[in-house]
Amino acid sequence: MESSVSAIVGHVSQNKLVTDKQQAYHEGHFTELLLVHLSEIWKTAIDTNKVVAVAFDDLRKAFGWVSHAILLHKLTSQLGIQGNLLSWLTNYLTDRTHFSVVNGLHSTVLNVTCGILQGSVLGPALFALYSNDIPSALASGSVFLYADDTTVYCIGVTADNTVTLSEINSWCLEHSNTSFCKVRSYAIDEKTAHWATKFCVY
């Protein structure tokens, strides 16, 4: 499985198919570096009398709602994965079932059409590719991702990231029929940094 992950990462890296906004699962990229990078951007804006609106979004059960059909479509149409590697990934993701057993009684067997294992070697890489097009789905604001944590910010004389959050939420609904949650939003200027609201979008 590790060789398959290496093949996927090598393919998308060599062909520069992964967004530079996704900081996880890249060699030499750490949360500390992303924090420093964003802090410098925001500090520069504040020093020039701009306002920064920032929202930290935690995708709800991110690895669990990945659609197998959408993922396979992205792997072929957006990332150009084909041949034996695609066949192996298709076999890995499809024709899975699950059921529960309680006191010796079996539930109905259901097909598994979404979800990837978070603790697996392959799971994090597949999730990064699945969410690779989030930045291109935004017409406003800026975004950086670290695995399933998303940081959205807008900079201006007055700043409001409501539109950008709605765009991310639309992406989530289109790709998983769910919205994100645990959004913490801040507005920061040269005089104050104040807590806005914790909320769920849609």
Side-chain angles (χ1 to χ4, degrees):
M1 184 172 291
E2 290 185 3
S3 61
S4 298
V5 174
S6 298
I8 295 171
V9 173
H11 170 75
V12 297
S13 298
Q14 290 172 11
N15 293 283
K16 298 181 179 180
L17 299 173
V18 178
T19 175
D20 59 358
K21 304 299 183 182
Q22 174 59 270
Q23 299 293 292
Y25 320 125
H26 292 293
E27 185 177 355
H29 289 239
F30 306 98
T31 53
E32 293 85 354
L33 292 178
L34 179 58
L35 179 60
V36 169
H37 177 65
L38 291 176
S39 297
E40 286 299 315
I41 293 175
W42 300 338
K43 181 180 182 299
T44 300
I46 294 169
D47 288 344
T48 55
N49 298 317
K50 299 290 179 60
V51 178
V52 183
V54 185
F56 301 98
D57 319 320
D58 182 18
L59 297 175
R60 177 190 292 123
K61 299 179 180 178
F63 284 74
W65 53 247
V66 171
S67 164
H68 296 166
I70 294 176
L71 174 58
L72 289 171
H73 175 72
K74 288 187 175 188
L75 291 175
T76 55
S77 64
Q78 296 182 12
L79 302 172
I81 293 176
Q82 53 189 315
N84 291 335
L85 181 57
L86 177 62
S87 297
W88 185 87
L89 288 169
T90 301
N91 183 66
Y92 175 80
L93 292 169
T94 56
D95 296 326
R96 289 176 173 266
T97 59
H98 64 176
F99 63 92
S100 300
V101 179
V102 179
N103 295 328
L105 299 176
H106 290 240
S107 69
T108 302
V109 177
L110 298 175
N111 292 323
V112 178
T113 60
C114 63
I116 50 179
L117 296 177
Q118 185 170 359
S120 66
V121 174
L122 186 59
L126 291 179
F127 180 81
L129 298 179
Y130 189 79
S131 58
N132 188 57
D133 58 351
I134 287 181
S136 63
L138 305 184
S140 60
S142 300
V143 61
F144 277 90
L145 304 101
Y146 200 96
D148 55 338
D149 292 320
T150 306
T151 300
V152 180
Y153 66 91
C154 300
I155 297 174
V157 177
T158 59
D160 183 358
N161 55 19
T162 304
V163 174
T164 308
L165 291 174
S166 296
E167 290 170 345
I168 292 182
N169 189 70
S170 296
W171 182 94
C172 290
L173 291 173
E174 179 182 350
H175 288 76
S176 63
N177 197 32
T178 187
S179 60
F180 56 72
C181 66
K182 295 182 182 178
V183 177
R184 293 184 176 180
S185 184
Y186 298 85
I188 310 170
D189 57 31
E190 62 179 347
K191 295 181 179 179
T192 181
H194 65 268
W195 178 272
T197 310
K198 179 181 179 181
F199 60 93
C200 291
V201 178
Y202 304 106

